[in-house]
Amino acid sequence: MTEIKEITTNNAIDQFILYWGDMGGQWGVNRSVAQIHALLFLSTKPLNAEQISETLGIARSNVSNSLKELVSWKLIRRVPIQGERREHFEAETDVWEMAMRIAQGRKEREIDPAAAALNECVAKAETEAGIDPVVLERLRDMQQFMDTTNRWYVQMLGVPKSQLNRLMKMGDKVLSVLKFAGKKMP
Amino acid sequence: MTEIKEITTNNAIDQFILYWGDMGGQWGVNRSVAQIHALLFLSTKPLNAEQISETLGIARSNVSNSLKELVSWKLIRRVPIQGERREHFEAETDVWEMAMRIAQGRKEREIDPAAAALNECVAKAETEAGIDPVVLERLRDMQQFMDTTNRWYVQMLGVPKSQLNRLMKMGDKVLSVLKFAGKKMP
DNA sequence: CTGTTGTTTCTGTATAAACAGAAACAACAG
DNA sequence: CTGTTGTTTCTGTTTATACAGAAACAACAG
């Protein structure tokens, strides 16, 4: 495994790590975390912090923190290796499982607090004198939307992967099966 | 409308703007953009850049740029006002429409490029000698997952709001209607 | 108890993003 | 043509985040 920080990156694995790295950046995840995840995702055997640090050219401490974060997301797990003192890690390789875990994490860390904040706002608006009814309505719409989305989200997280897969593959065909009125694209 | 940068923020509208502002921060959107969006979302009449700048205590230039970005996301639109020289703006207030626009924007700016990068990686891996078949398989799984998700996403974006709403409200009941085998939560 | 190995927390530095204010630009009225 | 009003782009500063390296800490072997 080469030092992937170098400019010359010609093999697919390194490129994937690089891409995944700054893709993470665009999301809330920082580069180190995303790169480590990518590395473990493509690794055929568990790796320890040392190896990761060397492979990616990331400081040992940084690796340690990033691993902790990835574990908390349940995207990787500690794996005890026979006759080895130090901890090894391997990634969840089932992509559906992965996606579910990420979705779960984002829900807890971002969506739920946002919903709570919104509820607070609506509650305050309701007791507040002199608030324009139109404004109140908009806040309520927003709240309701968030609520619906959230419920849906939770339920989907509970659906087994295989069924979810099938459901998504159906795409908008579900609509015709459910015999909803109206045409596609109004 | 008070200067919402102040610490004392007791009314619901300002609080919403504040929340929305750093909620945006957690997403890819910066605070200014999100705050302006929030302000317009709750405003009962179109506002011009000047008013926004004063209300939020954000530099005129910053407001201008943020407005441009919001327009590009189609979350707000320019509204000509009778007998007024300067441009006014109003927000899309239908929350479903709003969500669709955001989803659309994120797809174009983030998901599509990510998918393209991934395809490149897989292509490279396929021509590459000495790549572990397991690794190749993982990359392909990832690619396929992304593809499925993407297609689904596109199709859902084409579904009229009312139907989407109904669909989401059904939640996991769709599964039983579709008579999928297997139980919920394996 | 002391040396060794591995992990975590802390601290300063570098990097990138957001932002204000200024300058440049455009449209128009008189 | 010139002054006025509004908009956009540019530039330097501020602020937040990521990060490396050091220090502190823990577990254990001998």
Side-chain angles (χ1 to χ4, degrees), chain B residues 21-55:
Chain B
D22 59 51
M23 241 205 71
Q26 306 225 304
W27 272 82
V29 189
N30 71 44
R31 207 170 61 249
S32 310
V33 173
Q35 284 192 351
I36 292 172
H37 181 231
L39 174 61
L40 287 171
F41 176 71
L42 290 189
S43 174
T44 50
K45 55 184 198 305
L47 303 175
N48 63 47
E50 203 63 36
Q51 297 171 302
I52 296 170
S53 172
E54 282 163 14
T55 309

PDB file of all heavy atoms in Angstrom, chain B residues 21-55:
ATOM      1  N   GLY B  21     -30.477  28.883  10.829  1.00  0.00           N
ATOM      2  CA  GLY B  21     -29.149  29.333  10.442  1.00  0.00           C
ATOM      3  C   GLY B  21     -28.072  28.321  10.732  1.00  0.00           C
ATOM      4  O   GLY B  21     -27.337  27.916   9.852  1.00  0.00           O
ATOM      5  N   ASP B  22     -27.980  27.860  11.978  1.00  0.00           N
ATOM      6  CA  ASP B  22     -26.877  26.926  12.169  1.00  0.00           C
ATOM      7  C   ASP B  22     -27.257  25.488  11.880  1.00  0.00           C
ATOM      8  O   ASP B  22     -26.383  24.633  11.791  1.00  0.00           O
ATOM      9  CB  ASP B  22     -26.155  27.104  13.501  1.00  0.00           C
ATOM     10  CG  ASP B  22     -27.022  26.932  14.681  1.00  0.00           C
ATOM     11  OD1 ASP B  22     -27.707  25.904  14.737  1.00  0.00           O
ATOM     12  OD2 ASP B  22     -27.011  27.830  15.528  1.00  0.00           O
ATOM     13  N   MET B  23     -28.525  25.219  11.676  1.00  0.00           N
ATOM     14  CA  MET B  23     -28.886  23.932  11.102  1.00  0.00           C
ATOM     15  C   MET B  23     -28.295  23.847   9.704  1.00  0.00           C
ATOM     16  O   MET B  23     -27.702  22.849   9.322  1.00  0.00           O
ATOM     17  CB  MET B  23     -30.406  23.817  10.987  1.00  0.00           C
ATOM     18  CG  MET B  23     -31.003  22.701  11.758  1.00  0.00           C
ATOM     19  SD  MET B  23     -32.575  22.249  10.973  1.00  0.00           S
ATOM     20  CE  MET B  23     -31.997  21.471   9.459  1.00  0.00           C
ATOM     21  N   GLY B  24     -28.449  24.925   8.973  1.00  0.00           N
ATOM     22  CA  GLY B  24     -27.850  24.997   7.640  1.00  0.00           C
ATOM     23  C   GLY B  24     -26.361  24.716   7.705  1.00  0.00           C
ATOM     24  O   GLY B  24     -25.823  23.978   6.893  1.00  0.00           O
ATOM     25  N   GLY B  25     -25.709  25.296   8.719  1.00  0.00           N
ATOM     26  CA  GLY B  25     -24.288  25.071   8.890  1.00  0.00           C
ATOM     27  C   GLY B  25     -23.933  23.590   8.952  1.00  0.00           C
ATOM     28  O   GLY B  25     -22.938  23.160   8.398  1.00  0.00           O
ATOM     29  N   GLN B  26     -24.783  22.830   9.639  1.00  0.00           N
ATOM     30  CA  GLN B  26     -24.530  21.393   9.746  1.00  0.00           C
ATOM     31  C   GLN B  26     -24.644  20.697   8.392  1.00  0.00           C
ATOM     32  O   GLN B  26     -23.948  19.730   8.129  1.00  0.00           O
ATOM     33  CB  GLN B  26     -25.504  20.777  10.736  1.00  0.00           C
ATOM     34  CG  GLN B  26     -25.485  21.475  12.080  1.00  0.00           C
ATOM     35  CD  GLN B  26     -25.455  20.497  13.206  1.00  0.00           C
ATOM     36  OE1 GLN B  26     -26.307  19.631  13.327  1.00  0.00           O
ATOM     37  NE2 GLN B  26     -24.438  20.605  14.031  1.00  0.00           N
ATOM     38  N   TRP B  27     -25.573  21.177   7.600  1.00  0.00           N
ATOM     39  CA  TRP B  27     -25.625  20.731   6.217  1.00  0.00           C
ATOM     40  C   TRP B  27     -24.523  21.453   5.475  1.00  0.00           C
ATOM     41  O   TRP B  27     -23.699  22.110   6.075  1.00  0.00           O
ATOM     42  CB  TRP B  27     -26.985  21.099   5.608  1.00  0.00           C
ATOM     43  CG  TRP B  27     -28.016  20.049   5.838  1.00  0.00           C
ATOM     44  CD1 TRP B  27     -28.754  19.865   6.958  1.00  0.00           C
ATOM     45  CD2 TRP B  27     -28.418  19.048   4.913  1.00  0.00           C
ATOM     46  NE1 TRP B  27     -29.593  18.801   6.771  1.00  0.00           N
ATOM     47  CE2 TRP B  27     -29.398  18.294   5.544  1.00  0.00           C
ATOM     48  CE3 TRP B  27     -28.029  18.736   3.600  1.00  0.00           C
ATOM     49  CZ2 TRP B  27     -30.009  17.201   4.909  1.00  0.00           C
ATOM     50  CZ3 TRP B  27     -28.638  17.665   2.978  1.00  0.00           C
ATOM     51  CH2 TRP B  27     -29.615  16.904   3.625  1.00  0.00           C
ATOM     52  N   GLY B  28     -24.556  21.429   4.161  1.00  0.00           N
ATOM     53  CA  GLY B  28     -23.516  22.122   3.425  1.00  0.00           C
ATOM     54  C   GLY B  28     -23.694  23.635   3.373  1.00  0.00           C
ATOM     55  O   GLY B  28     -22.782  24.355   3.056  1.00  0.00           O
ATOM     56  N   VAL B  29     -24.890  24.102   3.721  1.00  0.00           N
ATOM     57  CA  VAL B  29     -25.212  25.518   3.534  1.00  0.00           C
ATOM     58  C   VAL B  29     -24.597  26.400   4.625  1.00  0.00           C
ATOM     59  O   VAL B  29     -24.559  26.008   5.777  1.00  0.00           O
ATOM     60  CB  VAL B  29     -26.741  25.696   3.579  1.00  0.00           C
ATOM     61  CG1 VAL B  29     -27.118  27.097   3.160  1.00  0.00           C
ATOM     62  CG2 VAL B  29     -27.410  24.668   2.686  1.00  0.00           C
ATOM     63  N   ASN B  30     -24.145  27.580   4.263  1.00  0.00           N
ATOM     64  CA  ASN B  30     -23.578  28.430   5.312  1.00  0.00           C
ATOM     65  C   ASN B  30     -24.659  29.235   6.027  1.00  0.00           C
ATOM     66  O   ASN B  30     -25.783  29.356   5.571  1.00  0.00           O
ATOM     67  CB  ASN B  30     -22.452  29.312   4.784  1.00  0.00           C
ATOM     68  CG  ASN B  30     -22.934  30.401   3.884  1.00  0.00           C
ATOM     69  OD1 ASN B  30     -23.923  31.069   4.161  1.00  0.00           O
ATOM     70  ND2 ASN B  30     -22.242  30.584   2.794  1.00  0.00           N
ATOM     71  N   ARG B  31     -24.275  29.775   7.156  1.00  0.00           N
ATOM     72  CA  ARG B  31     -25.244  30.393   8.032  1.00  0.00           C
ATOM     73  C   ARG B  31     -26.020  31.531   7.379  1.00  0.00           C
ATOM     74  O   ARG B  31     -27.240  31.613   7.478  1.00  0.00           O
ATOM     75  CB  ARG B  31     -24.571  30.856   9.322  1.00  0.00           C
ATOM     76  CG  ARG B  31     -25.525  30.901  10.488  1.00  0.00           C
ATOM     77  CD  ARG B  31     -24.841  31.127  11.814  1.00  0.00           C
ATOM     78  NE  ARG B  31     -24.123  32.378  11.882  1.00  0.00           N
ATOM     79  CZ  ARG B  31     -22.799  32.490  11.936  1.00  0.00           C
ATOM     80  NH1 ARG B  31     -22.066  31.409  11.917  1.00  0.00           N
ATOM     81  NH2 ARG B  31     -22.215  33.658  11.998  1.00  0.00           N
ATOM     82  N   SER B  32     -25.303  32.410   6.718  1.00  0.00           N
ATOM     83  CA  SER B  32     -25.970  33.559   6.090  1.00  0.00           C
ATOM     84  C   SER B  32     -27.080  33.093   5.162  1.00  0.00           C
ATOM     85  O   SER B  32     -28.215  33.589   5.231  1.00  0.00           O
ATOM     86  CB  SER B  32     -24.975  34.382   5.278  1.00  0.00           C
ATOM     87  OG  SER B  32     -23.846  34.673   6.034  1.00  0.00           O
ATOM     88  N   VAL B  33     -26.743  32.180   4.308  1.00  0.00           N
ATOM     89  CA  VAL B  33     -27.717  31.688   3.338  1.00  0.00           C
ATOM     90  C   VAL B  33     -28.940  31.114   4.044  1.00  0.00           C
ATOM     91  O   VAL B  33     -30.077  31.445   3.714  1.00  0.00           O
ATOM     92  CB  VAL B  33     -27.073  30.615   2.429  1.00  0.00           C
ATOM     93  CG1 VAL B  33     -28.117  29.968   1.545  1.00  0.00           C
ATOM     94  CG2 VAL B  33     -25.974  31.223   1.583  1.00  0.00           C
ATOM     95  N   ALA B  34     -28.680  30.303   5.029  1.00  0.00           N
ATOM     96  CA  ALA B  34     -29.783  29.660   5.735  1.00  0.00           C
ATOM     97  C   ALA B  34     -30.641  30.681   6.481  1.00  0.00           C
ATOM     98  O   ALA B  34     -31.873  30.598   6.477  1.00  0.00           O
ATOM     99  CB  ALA B  34     -29.238  28.619   6.700  1.00  0.00           C
ATOM    100  N   GLN B  35     -29.992  31.649   7.098  1.00  0.00           N
ATOM    101  CA  GLN B  35     -30.755  32.672   7.834  1.00  0.00           C
ATOM    102  C   GLN B  35     -31.631  33.481   6.899  1.00  0.00           C
ATOM    103  O   GLN B  35     -32.798  33.742   7.188  1.00  0.00           O
ATOM    104  CB  GLN B  35     -29.802  33.610   8.576  1.00  0.00           C
ATOM    105  CG  GLN B  35     -29.220  32.995   9.833  1.00  0.00           C
ATOM    106  CD  GLN B  35     -28.525  34.027  10.707  1.00  0.00           C
ATOM    107  OE1 GLN B  35     -28.334  35.166  10.305  1.00  0.00           O
ATOM    108  NE2 GLN B  35     -28.141  33.614  11.897  1.00  0.00           N
ATOM    109  N   ILE B  36     -31.064  33.859   5.787  1.00  0.00           N
ATOM    110  CA  ILE B  36     -31.840  34.641   4.824  1.00  0.00           C
ATOM    111  C   ILE B  36     -33.028  33.823   4.336  1.00  0.00           C
ATOM    112  O   ILE B  36     -34.147  34.334   4.221  1.00  0.00           O
ATOM    113  CB  ILE B  36     -30.956  35.074   3.641  1.00  0.00           C
ATOM    114  CG1 ILE B  36     -29.920  36.078   4.124  1.00  0.00           C
ATOM    115  CG2 ILE B  36     -31.803  35.679   2.528  1.00  0.00           C
ATOM    116  CD1 ILE B  36     -28.871  36.439   3.087  1.00  0.00           C
ATOM    117  N   HIS B  37     -32.766  32.565   4.097  1.00  0.00           N
ATOM    118  CA  HIS B  37     -33.859  31.710   3.664  1.00  0.00           C
ATOM    119  C   HIS B  37     -34.961  31.654   4.709  1.00  0.00           C
ATOM    120  O   HIS B  37     -36.144  31.787   4.405  1.00  0.00           O
ATOM    121  CB  HIS B  37     -33.351  30.306   3.362  1.00  0.00           C
ATOM    122  CG  HIS B  37     -34.422  29.383   2.898  1.00  0.00           C
ATOM    123  ND1 HIS B  37     -34.626  28.157   3.446  1.00  0.00           N
ATOM    124  CD2 HIS B  37     -35.366  29.556   1.946  1.00  0.00           C
ATOM    125  CE1 HIS B  37     -35.663  27.599   2.838  1.00  0.00           C
ATOM    126  NE2 HIS B  37     -36.134  28.406   1.926  1.00  0.00           N
ATOM    127  N   ALA B  38     -34.554  31.484   5.939  1.00  0.00           N
ATOM    128  CA  ALA B  38     -35.526  31.426   7.035  1.00  0.00           C
ATOM    129  C   ALA B  38     -36.335  32.712   7.114  1.00  0.00           C
ATOM    130  O   ALA B  38     -37.561  32.695   7.254  1.00  0.00           O
ATOM    131  CB  ALA B  38     -34.803  31.172   8.352  1.00  0.00           C
ATOM    132  N   LEU B  39     -35.631  33.823   7.011  1.00  0.00           N
ATOM    133  CA  LEU B  39     -36.304  35.119   7.092  1.00  0.00           C
ATOM    134  C   LEU B  39     -37.360  35.258   5.999  1.00  0.00           C
ATOM    135  O   LEU B  39     -38.506  35.642   6.260  1.00  0.00           O
ATOM    136  CB  LEU B  39     -35.272  36.238   6.968  1.00  0.00           C
ATOM    137  CG  LEU B  39     -35.826  37.671   6.900  1.00  0.00           C
ATOM    138  CD1 LEU B  39     -36.598  38.014   8.160  1.00  0.00           C
ATOM    139  CD2 LEU B  39     -34.701  38.676   6.663  1.00  0.00           C
ATOM    140  N   LEU B  40     -36.977  34.927   4.783  1.00  0.00           N
ATOM    141  CA  LEU B  40     -37.917  35.047   3.671  1.00  0.00           C
ATOM    142  C   LEU B  40     -39.053  34.042   3.798  1.00  0.00           C
ATOM    143  O   LEU B  40     -40.195  34.326   3.452  1.00  0.00           O
ATOM    144  CB  LEU B  40     -37.194  34.869   2.337  1.00  0.00           C
ATOM    145  CG  LEU B  40     -36.304  36.035   1.920  1.00  0.00           C
ATOM    146  CD1 LEU B  40     -35.458  35.679   0.709  1.00  0.00           C
ATOM    147  CD2 LEU B  40     -37.142  37.281   1.650  1.00  0.00           C
ATOM    148  N   PHE B  41     -38.720  32.885   4.324  1.00  0.00           N
ATOM    149  CA  PHE B  41     -39.742  31.842   4.492  1.00  0.00           C
ATOM    150  C   PHE B  41     -40.852  32.312   5.429  1.00  0.00           C
ATOM    151  O   PHE B  41     -42.026  32.001   5.236  1.00  0.00           O
ATOM    152  CB  PHE B  41     -39.101  30.568   5.029  1.00  0.00           C
ATOM    153  CG  PHE B  41     -40.084  29.475   5.316  1.00  0.00           C
ATOM    154  CD1 PHE B  41     -40.716  28.796   4.285  1.00  0.00           C
ATOM    155  CD2 PHE B  41     -40.379  29.119   6.630  1.00  0.00           C
ATOM    156  CE1 PHE B  41     -41.630  27.785   4.543  1.00  0.00           C
ATOM    157  CE2 PHE B  41     -41.297  28.111   6.900  1.00  0.00           C
ATOM    158  CZ  PHE B  41     -41.922  27.445   5.857  1.00  0.00           C
ATOM    159  N   LEU B  42     -40.473  33.074   6.426  1.00  0.00           N
ATOM    160  CA  LEU B  42     -41.480  33.541   7.386  1.00  0.00           C
ATOM    161  C   LEU B  42     -42.011  34.933   7.091  1.00  0.00           C
ATOM    162  O   LEU B  42     -42.916  35.417   7.769  1.00  0.00           O
ATOM    163  CB  LEU B  42     -40.903  33.496   8.802  1.00  0.00           C
ATOM    164  CG  LEU B  42     -40.678  32.113   9.399  1.00  0.00           C
ATOM    165  CD1 LEU B  42     -40.323  32.229  10.870  1.00  0.00           C
ATOM    166  CD2 LEU B  42     -41.878  31.208   9.207  1.00  0.00           C
ATOM    167  N   SER B  43     -41.447  35.562   6.090  1.00  0.00           N
ATOM    168  CA  SER B  43     -41.916  36.916   5.780  1.00  0.00           C
ATOM    169  C   SER B  43     -43.224  36.866   4.994  1.00  0.00           C
ATOM    170  O   SER B  43     -43.374  36.083   4.062  1.00  0.00           O
ATOM    171  CB  SER B  43     -40.850  37.647   4.966  1.00  0.00           C
ATOM    172  OG  SER B  43     -41.362  38.898   4.543  1.00  0.00           O
ATOM    173  N   THR B  44     -44.143  37.711   5.392  1.00  0.00           N
ATOM    174  CA  THR B  44     -45.436  37.698   4.693  1.00  0.00           C
ATOM    175  C   THR B  44     -45.399  38.540   3.419  1.00  0.00           C
ATOM    176  O   THR B  44     -46.332  38.507   2.636  1.00  0.00           O
ATOM    177  CB  THR B  44     -46.554  38.223   5.608  1.00  0.00           C
ATOM    178  OG1 THR B  44     -46.128  39.470   6.169  1.00  0.00           O
ATOM    179  CG2 THR B  44     -46.829  37.238   6.726  1.00  0.00           C
ATOM    180  N   LYS B  45     -44.338  39.314   3.272  1.00  0.00           N
ATOM    181  CA  LYS B  45     -44.228  40.078   2.020  1.00  0.00           C
ATOM    182  C   LYS B  45     -42.793  40.013   1.492  1.00  0.00           C
ATOM    183  O   LYS B  45     -41.860  39.765   2.263  1.00  0.00           O
ATOM    184  CB  LYS B  45     -44.652  41.525   2.254  1.00  0.00           C
ATOM    185  CG  LYS B  45     -43.897  42.217   3.362  1.00  0.00           C
ATOM    186  CD  LYS B  45     -44.439  43.618   3.597  1.00  0.00           C
ATOM    187  CE  LYS B  45     -43.429  44.450   4.377  1.00  0.00           C
ATOM    188  NZ  LYS B  45     -43.006  43.830   5.648  1.00  0.00           N
ATOM    189  N   PRO B  46     -42.630  40.213   0.194  1.00  0.00           N
ATOM    190  CA  PRO B  46     -41.291  40.166  -0.391  1.00  0.00           C
ATOM    191  C   PRO B  46     -40.379  41.212   0.222  1.00  0.00           C
ATOM    192  O   PRO B  46     -40.832  42.290   0.601  1.00  0.00           O
ATOM    193  CB  PRO B  46     -41.549  40.484  -1.871  1.00  0.00           C
ATOM    194  CG  PRO B  46     -42.969  40.141  -2.111  1.00  0.00           C
ATOM    195  CD  PRO B  46     -43.679  40.402  -0.829  1.00  0.00           C
ATOM    196  N   LEU B  47     -39.111  40.892   0.326  1.00  0.00           N
ATOM    197  CA  LEU B  47     -38.137  41.817   0.899  1.00  0.00           C
ATOM    198  C   LEU B  47     -37.040  42.103  -0.112  1.00  0.00           C
ATOM    199  O   LEU B  47     -36.762  41.283  -0.983  1.00  0.00           O
ATOM    200  CB  LEU B  47     -37.510  41.204   2.159  1.00  0.00           C
ATOM    201  CG  LEU B  47     -38.437  40.792   3.290  1.00  0.00           C
ATOM    202  CD1 LEU B  47     -37.638  40.094   4.389  1.00  0.00           C
ATOM    203  CD2 LEU B  47     -39.182  42.008   3.852  1.00  0.00           C
ATOM    204  N   ASN B  48     -36.426  43.257   0.028  1.00  0.00           N
ATOM    205  CA  ASN B  48     -35.268  43.537  -0.824  1.00  0.00           C
ATOM    206  C   ASN B  48     -33.985  43.322  -0.034  1.00  0.00           C
ATOM    207  O   ASN B  48     -33.995  43.177   1.181  1.00  0.00           O
ATOM    208  CB  ASN B  48     -35.346  44.942  -1.412  1.00  0.00           C
ATOM    209  CG  ASN B  48     -35.314  46.004  -0.322  1.00  0.00           C
ATOM    210  OD1 ASN B  48     -34.489  45.952   0.580  1.00  0.00           O
ATOM    211  ND2 ASN B  48     -36.228  46.958  -0.411  1.00  0.00           N
ATOM    212  N   ALA B  49     -32.885  43.323  -0.763  1.00  0.00           N
ATOM    213  CA  ALA B  49     -31.589  43.016  -0.155  1.00  0.00           C
ATOM    214  C   ALA B  49     -31.277  43.944   1.019  1.00  0.00           C
ATOM    215  O   ALA B  49     -30.746  43.506   2.043  1.00  0.00           O
ATOM    216  CB  ALA B  49     -30.498  43.099  -1.207  1.00  0.00           C
ATOM    217  N   GLU B  50     -31.596  45.200   0.822  1.00  0.00           N
ATOM    218  CA  GLU B  50     -31.352  46.192   1.858  1.00  0.00           C
ATOM    219  C   GLU B  50     -32.018  45.792   3.179  1.00  0.00           C
ATOM    220  O   GLU B  50     -31.390  45.767   4.230  1.00  0.00           O
ATOM    221  CB  GLU B  50     -31.917  47.546   1.392  1.00  0.00           C
ATOM    222  CG  GLU B  50     -31.300  48.746   2.055  1.00  0.00           C
ATOM    223  CD  GLU B  50     -29.819  48.864   1.757  1.00  0.00           C
ATOM    224  OE1 GLU B  50     -29.427  48.529   0.613  1.00  0.00           O
ATOM    225  OE2 GLU B  50     -29.061  49.250   2.662  1.00  0.00           O
ATOM    226  N   GLN B  51     -33.286  45.507   3.076  1.00  0.00           N
ATOM    227  CA  GLN B  51     -34.046  45.143   4.282  1.00  0.00           C
ATOM    228  C   GLN B  51     -33.465  43.903   4.960  1.00  0.00           C
ATOM    229  O   GLN B  51     -33.341  43.847   6.177  1.00  0.00           O
ATOM    230  CB  GLN B  51     -35.500  44.875   3.896  1.00  0.00           C
ATOM    231  CG  GLN B  51     -36.222  46.080   3.321  1.00  0.00           C
ATOM    232  CD  GLN B  51     -37.586  45.713   2.761  1.00  0.00           C
ATOM    233  OE1 GLN B  51     -37.717  44.874   1.872  1.00  0.00           O
ATOM    234  NE2 GLN B  51     -38.633  46.327   3.302  1.00  0.00           N
ATOM    235  N   ILE B  52     -33.111  42.953   4.146  1.00  0.00           N
ATOM    236  CA  ILE B  52     -32.547  41.731   4.695  1.00  0.00           C
ATOM    237  C   ILE B  52     -31.248  42.026   5.418  1.00  0.00           C
ATOM    238  O   ILE B  52     -31.014  41.582   6.545  1.00  0.00           O
ATOM    239  CB  ILE B  52     -32.303  40.700   3.565  1.00  0.00           C
ATOM    240  CG1 ILE B  52     -33.634  40.288   2.936  1.00  0.00           C
ATOM    241  CG2 ILE B  52     -31.569  39.482   4.100  1.00  0.00           C
ATOM    242  CD1 ILE B  52     -33.495  39.466   1.675  1.00  0.00           C
ATOM    243  N   SER B  53     -30.417  42.788   4.758  1.00  0.00           N
ATOM    244  CA  SER B  53     -29.131  43.159   5.337  1.00  0.00           C
ATOM    245  C   SER B  53     -29.309  43.817   6.706  1.00  0.00           C
ATOM    246  O   SER B  53     -28.620  43.485   7.670  1.00  0.00           O
ATOM    247  CB  SER B  53     -28.403  44.104   4.386  1.00  0.00           C
ATOM    248  OG  SER B  53     -27.252  44.621   4.990  1.00  0.00           O
ATOM    249  N   GLU B  54     -30.255  44.753   6.766  1.00  0.00           N
ATOM    250  CA  GLU B  54     -30.490  45.447   8.034  1.00  0.00           C
ATOM    251  C   GLU B  54     -31.077  44.520   9.105  1.00  0.00           C
ATOM    252  O   GLU B  54     -30.633  44.502  10.237  1.00  0.00           O
ATOM    253  CB  GLU B  54     -31.442  46.629   7.814  1.00  0.00           C
ATOM    254  CG  GLU B  54     -30.752  47.840   7.198  1.00  0.00           C
ATOM    255  CD  GLU B  54     -31.760  48.822   6.603  1.00  0.00           C
ATOM    256  OE1 GLU B  54     -32.967  48.687   6.910  1.00  0.00           O
ATOM    257  OE2 GLU B  54     -31.339  49.694   5.819  1.00  0.00           O
ATOM    258  N   THR B  55     -32.050  43.771   8.681  1.00  0.00           N
ATOM    259  CA  THR B  55     -32.720  42.894   9.647  1.00  0.00           C
ATOM    260  C   THR B  55     -31.770  41.882  10.280  1.00  0.00           C
ATOM    261  O   THR B  55     -31.783  41.668  11.480  1.00  0.00           O
ATOM    262  CB  THR B  55     -33.857  42.111   8.963  1.00  0.00           C
ATOM    263  OG1 THR B  55     -34.679  43.026   8.254  1.00  0.00           O
ATOM    264  CG2 THR B  55     -34.682  41.357   9.991  1.00  0.00           C
TER     265      THR B  55
END
